[in-house]
Amino acid sequence: MQHLVDTNDLTDLQIQNLLDDTRTFKNNPPAQLLKDKLLITLFFEASTRTRSSFEVAAKRLGASVVHLDPSRSSEKKGESLEDTFANLCAMEPDGVIVRHSKNSTPKLLADMQTTPVMNAGAGNYAHPTQALLDLFTMVEHFQGNIKGKTVAIVGDIVSSRVASSGIRLFTRMGLNVVLVAPEQFMPKNLPIGQDLPQYKRLEDVMDKVDVIMSLRAQLERHEKELFEDYADYANQYCITKERMGDKNILLLHPGPVMRNIDISDQMLEDPRCKVLTQVKNGVFMRMAILKLLLLDA
Ligand code: CP
């Protein structure tokens, strides 16, 4: 039984097949590929993109989707996570898509070996489907020539599961990754980003990078106040037209974007900014992931 807890679960061949299938599905999604399949989504944290994207992907391929809202589930009566999952599995779904605040939850559920588990974002460690759709967006943009390109991940890296999964996947695929953040936002005691070039100032990387991946400023997660307010943060790290100039840089963000804090209004309208292309590609990448886990594996 194959799961997707993190991209490390995938072989190089499987990653290549996912990229190929995503491209194929973007041209022509097969409407009945997952006919008779049933998926359950189990999101213990809020989501706009990932949950809808999985649901759209599944339905466009002919599958059915059931959503369990944990805030209205028997978890509220004290049922454990493992028991909740075991009960859902007793209904014989073809896969469960889970988001949780704890890094360990998707692996814990996958290790029960009852149904394929897809990690839709866990703690600050892994968001594999986001990393894969970001990889596809770069492959598409650079027409396959991504090896040696440099990606700057900018912002609250230490809190970000997108950064964590992205670093592992992008470096594996031959991209260079540099990190841009104030000291408190840099990973220190986490198993990511230790050996990557680190910069405090955005200005120091603007001439070296092919891609900027801006992250949401999560000031609320930090105990020690670093900035007076979001405007103070934006002053140093917001991706603006002034900072981008006429540079040929692909601008990405996993969402939700905090306008004029992470990226300016003007840059969100700029053709170099592919935030909504990422969202569109996410549906096709998740179709490819469902095909891999439910049919091919
Ligand atoms: N990119 C992402 O994970 O967005 P959501 O939190 O809206 O799913």
Side-chain angles (χ1 to χ4, degrees), residues 97-145:
I97 299 158
V98 64
R99 170 170 287 192
H100 200 273
S101 59
K102 276 194 183 165
N103 292 0
S104 55
T105 294
K107 177 153 174 33
L108 177 83
L109 302 183
D111 285 347
M112 290 168 74
Q113 295 296 354
T114 39
T115 196
V117 171
M118 284 155 266
N119 179 0
N124 66 352
Y125 185 66
H127 195 345
T129 66
Q130 181 70 43
L132 286 160
L133 76 87
D134 291 339
L135 176 68
F136 177 80
T137 304
M138 291 189 277
V139 169
E140 184 180 55
H141 180 81
F142 294 113
Q143 299 174 335
N145 301 314

Side-chain angles (χ1 to χ4, degrees), residues 43 46-52 99 120-121 127 130 133 161-162 253-256 286:
F43 277 59
S47 169
T48 294
R49 280 146 290 271
T50 313
R51 183 183 151 195
S52 319
R99 170 170 287 192
H127 195 345
Q130 181 70 43
L133 76 87
R161 53 195 173 214
V162 174
H253 192 299
R286 291 183 176 106

Side-chain angles (χ1 to χ4, degrees), residues 140-189:
E140 184 180 55
H141 180 81
F142 294 113
Q143 299 174 335
N145 301 314
I146 55 163
K147 281 204 168 55
K149 296 275 192 270
T150 299
V151 184
I153 301 182
V154 178
D156 192 357
I157 298 163
V158 74
S159 307
S160 174
R161 53 195 173 214
V162 174
S164 182
S165 273
I167 289 168
R168 285 190 290 281
L169 183 62
F170 304 159
T171 51
R172 176 176 172 188
M173 300 304 289
L175 289 142
N176 304 313
V177 177
V178 303
L179 308 179
V180 183
E183 200 185 335
Q184 288 86 334
F185 286 12
M186 280 288 182
K188 286 186 195 73
N189 300 316

